[in-house]
Amino acid sequence: MYIPRVPANQSCCEQRPRLSNVRTNYTSTRSNLKLTSATRVICQGFTGKQGSFHCKQAIEYGTKVVGGVSPGKGGKTHLNLPVFNSVKEVRILSRVMFLFYLPPDQCMASLSREAKSATGADATVIYVPPPGAASAILEAVDAEIPLIVCITEGIPQQDMVRVKHKLLKQSKSRLVGPNCPGVIAPEQCKIGIMPGHIHQRGCVGVVSRSGTLTYEAVHQTTQVGLGQTMCFGIGGDPFNGTDFIDTLEFFLTDPETKGIILIGEIGGVAEEQASEYLLKHNSYLCLGSQGDNAKPVVSFIAGITAPPGRRMGHAGAIISGGKGGAQDKINALEKVNMREIICNNLQILVKCFIMPQTPIKAYTNLTLFL
Amino acid sequence: MKADRVPVVSYSVQEMYSLGIGKVELEEVNPNLCGGRVENHLGKTTPSSPDRDSNLNLPVLSSRAQHDKQAITQQIRNLNLMEYQSKILLQKNGVAVQKFKMIENADEVDDNLKNFKVDEYVIKAQILAGGRGLGYFDNGFKGGVHITKDLGKVSSIVESMIGHNLITKQTSKNGILVKKVMVAESVTIKRECYICIIMDRFLSIYVYIHYFFFFRFIFTLYVSNVYILFFTRENNGPVIIASPAGGTDIENVATSSPHLIKTIPVDIEQGVTDEMSKNIAKFLDFKGSLIKEAAAQIKQLWQLFLNVDAVQLEINPLVETSNGGVIAVDAKIIFDDNAKFRHKDIYSLEDETESDPKEIEAAKHNLNYIAMSGNIGCLVNGAGLAMATMDIIKLYGKEPANFLDVGGNVNEEQVLKAFQILTSDENVKAILVNVFGGIVNCATIANGIVNASKTIQLSIPLIVRLEGMIY
């Protein structure tokens, strides 16, 4: 049995052993998750139907889409933006363009800034169909794009295992997805397929495995005026680039985020791991300032009625061998602390935020709105 | 200082096991499935408890079911292959299996078996269910698995099987029509092992019991808390589970002798190395020259796992025969549906006769549909919202009739089709449409519903909730 060693001088609540959020090269890329209105985004699969449509929507929303990649169509223009043959080309050509527009004395300073961002792009969104999606992700990793958001659903699991294998060994790029709706910083930058108009800039961080359930949570927080800081759709696949813990760390260290909504579903143990992480980092049990500054977390777990052994839409949403069931996850999350409230009813998710100290049982008959 | 409640959680060791956790997890072999049934050629079947989950792709120690029994007996909608189909796949990928011939017709027996001379024949009816050995045919013939040394008798046995329904503990009372029979070389099993390769999200769950003392500032109380931390080390890739105690009692091995199970993660790029395969072979108690052979078989199994894009490949039993061979006597393969586009040949082998026709129809139109047992039909976009919709129906005391995720690229045609499928289910007494359009256009759904109600003459209540994007 593996029992991890814990330094003796840690306080009692920190004597819990290090959990599965082991620090690797890859975990250092969590800071890449931050989006601002200055984030420059390129699109892989730019000229395809999905890519075109959603990039147009993103541009209308105010996202700084700077170009796209479509092998074989390099040099052309699409949506008034340059098309490149590959992600590496974006990197090289944008540097060349940069040099031409600046006087020599400013070039050197600008080049070093440019070198820091590694490419002409801060993020890429992938709308490539499943057969080519994994290589599109790897291409972006090779080009050291800081944030890669893969929307594609249906990438073979073996391909994603190989992608993850590479991803974990590097520290420049972070992947969100695949099979996810994307990432959005309301009123600043939208990378993905989510409807922009339901979002509002505010103070709640939302993270979810399901796209449409994210929209529900966003809709409710907008309607009560809380708004969102950032919304992450981490996707429904079993092997993905970002899990709950990555986004929770982001939210816990983000000063704008005052509360967190976590939406999970059946399959895997991501929610259980998240609850362990919260217990350690966000629980009132922690002594000192950490405990006092603990942010309220509200969760909803979908699939309590899902039959076992069936893949419920998402490749990762499957209860197998008695594992990954909704009740297990609810139980794990309930153990965290009193401020973490489990909603068995999606409608009252937001109500829980407004009155965080009230026990959950009181809410089972409340409806907010449908 | 906050006088907050200190959560005290305690479980006894017994309860921990019943919670489905333990030092190592073991794949449960469920005879209800595809080309894998746990039967040896003598016709013994695995005891299958009706409370077990079915079609697992992750190991289980014991089942802690949060579902009703009805759901368990549903037909699984993964790709199910019959025994001979799995064995052909194994053969193609260099894994040693018993020699066999396929018979589709009683007349073919003599021709097919002319050159197939072995000491003892085992004749097995091919159906998508387990329990064949103890089953019986609708013509009174007993046993779906027969052994004989006499080539002459094979013909009559085959004749009694083909074209008749075989009824077993795992089929309906009408049984399943036998269209093909496998005649294989009977092997004398000296020892049975278990080996499984699985694409696992988490390796195993270690239970860590942590005692600590918590000082309360105001009241000096020493409170001892037993914390059970579910320690899951995420594996992110393939894992091999092996045990020298294979066969029909494998489920008990995990509880009674966990030291007999080894779980080995495999690096996807490196694969199974020579050293790794040798160590596994040694752990499986192979000795002498057999170590090399078993190691070679393990490497071939790994190749097969990669080649067919399997999410799970289970061989139970992997046998050591009395004349010094290593053979996979039975196989259960679960395929990654996402990789269907590059394995059209395998998916064309699918036998749909035992699947729910509504689900087959839905799959044809790219609708994610799973039949359930209630009476409120659901049409939702997004898997998460679809599950939440089912949950909400249950919360208010009713039962959903189905799970249906129309997906992001739905068109009006598909909405019409979805309605047709929902209304074809006689249990459905009302339909709930719950759509939050993001990539989906609400107008598409609305138009689809209007068309459907005109075409189908909808006579049951329809409740529609549309939110989100209209383009």
Side-chain angles (χ1 to χ4, degrees):
Chain A
M1 193 190 283
Y2 167 64
I3 299 174
R5 300 187 142 267
V6 173
N9 58 357
Q10 280 187 350
S11 62
C12 69
C13 79
E14 287 175 277
Q15 261 170 8
R16 292 184 200 93
R18 287 286 286 270
L19 301 173
S20 52
N21 54 325
V22 174
R23 298 281 152 185
T24 63
N25 286 339
Y26 187 54
T27 47
S28 60
T29 59
R30 282 172 184 164
S31 48
N32 297 358
L33 291 170
K34 180 77 183 162
L35 292 183
T36 66
S37 39
T39 308
R40 291 162 300 176
V41 183
I42 58 168
C43 172
Q44 289 170 260
F46 193 31
T47 52
K49 192 173 124 206
Q50 294 292 337
S52 307
F53 179 74
H54 290 290
C55 283
K56 212 155 122 225
Q57 296 276 315
I59 294 167
E60 277 169 26
Y61 191 76
T63 310
K64 288 203 166 30
V65 183
V66 296
V69 174
S70 214
K73 302 218 171 106
K76 301 205 171 90
T77 345
H78 184 64
L79 302 178
N80 291 326
L81 291 165
V83 183
F84 299 92
N85 277 319
S86 69
V87 185
K88 274 226 156 63
E89 222 178 74
V90 175
R91 177 183 176 171
I92 298 166
L93 284 178
S94 64
R95 284 213 177 127
V96 171
M97 282 171 14
F98 205 59
L99 281 172
F100 277 112
Y101 293 131
L102 282 181
D105 48 77
Q106 288 182 28
C107 261
M108 288 314 292
S110 316
L111 264 180
S112 62
R113 272 202 309 275
E114 179 70 353
K116 276 196 191 129
S117 74
T119 61
D122 303 310
T124 174
V125 60
I126 298 178
Y127 291 105
V128 176
S135 19
I137 300 175
L138 290 174
E139 196 190 323
V141 172
D142 282 338
E144 298 183 348
I145 307 267
L147 180 64
I148 307 166
V149 180
C150 183
I151 311 295
T152 311
E153 177 172 7
I155 303 181
Q157 289 187 34
Q158 205 187 112
D159 291 1
M160 276 317 298
V161 170
R162 288 180 199 275
V163 165
K164 214 154 176 201
H165 192 262
K166 193 155 179 194
L167 213 54
L168 290 175
K169 296 198 165 100
Q170 54 83 52
S171 56
K172 295 276 175 11
S173 306
R174 169 145 293 262
L175 169 68
V176 176
N179 188 15
C180 77
V183 179
I184 180 171
E187 296 167 25
Q188 298 165 82
C189 181
K190 175 173 109 93
I191 303 180
I193 58 172
M194 63 286 280
H197 71 272
I198 59 172
H199 295 77
Q200 180 190 310
R201 192 166 179 178
C203 64
V204 174
V206 181
V207 57
S208 160
R209 280 166 67 185
S210 152
T212 38
L213 281 179
T214 324
Y215 309 157
E216 293 285 354
V218 163
H219 188 56
Q220 291 184 28
T221 42
T222 299
Q223 289 195 306
V224 299
L226 286 171
Q228 309 86 36
T229 51
M230 281 203 68
C231 305
F232 294 103
I234 60 176
D237 272 6
F239 298 101
N240 55 27
T242 294
D243 63 10
F244 285 123
I245 294 178
D246 297 320
T247 51
L248 285 173
E249 180 170 290
F250 175 86
F251 285 137
L252 291 178
T253 51
D254 175 35
E256 279 176 35
T257 304
K258 303 280 186 284
I260 302 169
I261 295 183
L262 187 150
I263 300 177
E265 57 190 34
I266 54 166
V269 285
E271 291 81 0
E272 287 87 333
Q273 290 177 328
S275 69
E276 294 304 332
Y277 179 85
L278 287 170
L279 196 61
K280 188 177 181 194
H281 294 278
N282 195 46
S283 166
Y284 68 89
L285 282 177
C286 292
L287 297 180
S289 62
Q290 226 180 359
D292 292 333
N293 290 339
K295 301 186 185 183
V297 179
V298 175
S299 302
F300 175 78
I301 308 294
I304 204 152
T305 49
R310 303 304 305 267
R311 186 171 84 109
M312 307 301 286
H314 286 154
I318 177 165
I319 303 170
S320 317
K323 294 294 164 311
Q327 194 58 52
D328 284 335
K329 293 171 188 297
I330 291 171
N331 294 343
L333 285 162
E334 271 178 343
K335 283 193 196 78
V336 178
N337 62 40
M338 277 292 279
R339 295 175 84 182
E340 167 119 356
I341 302 164
I342 308 303
C343 290
N344 56 4
N345 188 338
L346 188 54
Q347 302 163 318
I348 58 171
L349 201 59
V350 164
K351 199 96 180 190
C352 297
F353 254 145
I354 300 169
M355 295 181 264
Q357 298 296 347
T358 320
I360 179 59
K361 295 286 182 277
Y363 287 114
T364 46
N365 294 317
L366 266 180
T367 55
L368 190 57
F369 35 68
L370 180 64
Chain B
M1 186 73 182
K2 300 174 216 161
D4 290 316
R5 180 181 74 100
V6 176
V8 176
V9 173
S10 64
Y11 295 87
S12 68
V13 175
Q14 273 311 103
E15 274 181 70
M16 281 180 335
Y17 274 102
S18 70
L19 284 171
I21 43 167
K23 197 163 173 186
V24 162
E25 294 189 320
L26 180 68
E27 165 68 20
E28 186 221 52
V29 178
N30 190 308
N32 202 17
L33 302 171
C34 51
R37 323 127 289 114
V38 183
E39 281 181 354
N40 59 29
H41 67 292
L42 295 173
K44 286 197 196 129
T45 55
T46 308
S48 73
S49 143
D51 286 328
R52 292 282 173 91
D53 295 342
S54 41
N55 204 26
L56 312 168
N57 65 5
L58 287 175
V60 68
L61 194 55
S62 63
S63 69
R64 185 190 181 204
Q66 289 105 34
H67 46 263
D68 62 303
K69 290 209 176 134
Q70 263 179 320
I72 306 167
T73 51
Q74 271 178 343
Q75 199 61 30
I76 307 307
R77 180 87 199 109
N78 277 332
L79 170 61
N80 287 337
L81 293 185
M82 283 192 259
E83 182 191 2
Y84 75 94
Q85 292 165 321
S86 302
K87 289 208 168 150
I88 291 173
L89 268 181
L90 259 63
Q91 261 184 341
K92 268 199 201 142
N93 284 273
V95 179
V97 295
Q98 298 154 277
K99 284 196 280 213
F100 69 93
K101 292 269 180 206
M102 295 307 300
I103 312 275
E104 282 183 60
N105 205 310
D107 305 327
E108 291 173 5
V109 176
D110 295 321
D111 295 327
N112 279 10
L113 299 185
K114 228 182 353 221
N115 300 321
F116 190 59
K117 295 270 184 288
V118 294
D119 290 337
E120 196 175 50
Y121 301 91
V122 54
I123 303 130
K124 304 200 239 186
Q126 299 293 293
I127 57 170
L128 277 178
R132 295 173 295 167
L134 297 173
Y136 60 94
F137 287 86
D138 55 4
N139 58 1
F141 188 62
K142 285 203 170 38
V145 176
H146 284 261
I147 301 174
T148 175
K149 287 196 174 17
D150 186 356
L151 184 54
K153 291 214 182 100
V154 173
S155 198
S156 60
I157 295 174
V158 168
E159 209 175 316
S160 316
M161 288 185 177
I162 289 188
H164 300 282
N165 280 18
L166 174 59
I167 301 135
T168 78
K169 280 199 182 127
Q170 296 175 21
T171 65
S172 66
K173 55 176 171 23
N174 294 326
I176 304 176
L177 179 65
V178 176
K179 295 186 202 153
K180 289 191 176 165
V181 167
M182 172 195 277
V183 178
E185 176 185 17
S186 174
V187 289
T188 320
I189 296 177
K190 189 171 163 201
R191 242 175 18 92
E192 293 177 325
C193 306
Y194 173 95
I195 187 159
C196 176
I197 309 179
I198 195 166
M199 202 63 102
D200 206 351
R201 279 193 269 182
F202 50 89
L203 180 59
S204 57
I205 296 188
Y206 297 97
V207 175
Y208 178 74
I209 302 172
H210 176 71
Y211 293 86
F212 72 95
F213 292 92
F214 185 75
F215 282 82
R216 294 202 116 197
F217 208 84
I218 303 169
F219 309 100
T220 48
L221 279 174
Y222 291 81
V223 179
S224 96
N225 293 282
V226 176
Y227 256 28
I228 307 250
L229 295 174
F230 297 104
F231 210 112
T232 56
R233 180 157 64 86
E234 195 154 296
N235 183 55
N236 292 320
V239 152
I240 296 183
I241 304 173
S243 172
T248 55
D249 285 336
I250 195 69
E251 294 117 345
N252 297 326
V253 175
T255 23
S256 54
S257 2
H259 61 278
L260 287 179
I261 298 173
K262 200 166 181 172
T263 339
I264 305 118
V266 182
D267 182 306
I268 187 88
E269 297 297 335
Q270 210 183 37
V272 172
T273 56
D274 286 335
E275 193 185 320
M276 224 186 214
S277 56
K278 268 210 192 91
N279 286 338
I280 298 172
K282 285 187 191 146
F283 180 75
L284 291 176
D285 267 349
F286 286 102
K287 305 241 175 344
S289 60
L290 283 180
I291 293 179
K292 209 167 161 198
E293 202 175 324
Q297 285 298 300
I298 290 164
K299 288 186 88 169
Q300 293 302 118
L301 284 170
W302 169 251
Q303 277 313 307
L304 168 65
F305 180 79
L306 289 180
N307 290 350
V308 301
D309 271 301
V311 180
Q312 176 186 289
L313 166 63
E314 182 193 60
I315 308 289
N316 188 25
L318 176 72
V319 311
E320 180 183 334
T321 61
S322 54
N323 49 357
V326 179
I327 292 192
V329 164
D330 202 357
K332 171 170 106 186
I333 312 177
I334 299 183
F335 299 90
D336 179 8
D337 283 338
N338 283 351
K340 187 170 173 175
F341 65 87
R342 53 190 190 207
H343 295 292
K344 296 210 168 70
D345 51 340
I346 297 179
Y347 277 80
S348 64
L349 298 173
E350 190 168 15
D351 181 342
E352 290 173 339
T353 47
E354 290 303 305
S355 301
D356 186 327
K358 297 196 289 290
E359 298 191 2
I360 299 171
E361 185 66 22
K364 275 199 198 119
H365 293 89
N366 285 324
L367 296 165
N368 241 320
Y369 174 90
I370 297 176
M372 298 186 58
S373 54
N375 57 10
I376 299 183
C378 305
L379 192 154
V380 186
N381 72 316
L385 189 58
M387 280 195 278
T389 306
M390 281 170 26
D391 295 347
I392 262 186
I393 292 173
K394 193 113 195 220
L395 180 70
Y396 285 91
K398 294 296 172 195
E399 291 287 335
N402 66 282
F403 165 94
L404 174 54
D405 167 17
V406 296
N409 295 321
V410 65
N411 55 38
E412 285 175 32
E413 208 30 64
Q414 284 171 294
V415 176
L416 174 60
K417 206 65 215 173
F419 266 87
Q420 281 174 338
I421 294 171
L422 287 179
T423 45
S424 73
D425 184 353
E426 346 167 287
N427 289 336
V428 169
K429 296 287 178 289
I431 296 180
L432 170 64
V433 174
N434 187 8
V435 167
F436 203 122
I439 199 172
V440 162
N441 181 357
C442 284
T444 310
I445 306 286
N447 289 330
I449 295 175
V450 169
N451 288 340
S453 55
K454 284 185 195 156
T455 323
I456 302 174
Q457 303 292 319
L458 215 55
S459 58
I460 49 179
L462 169 65
I463 297 101
V464 179
R465 180 253 186 167
L466 292 179
E467 189 75 68
M469 297 297 278
I470 301 181
Y471 310 131

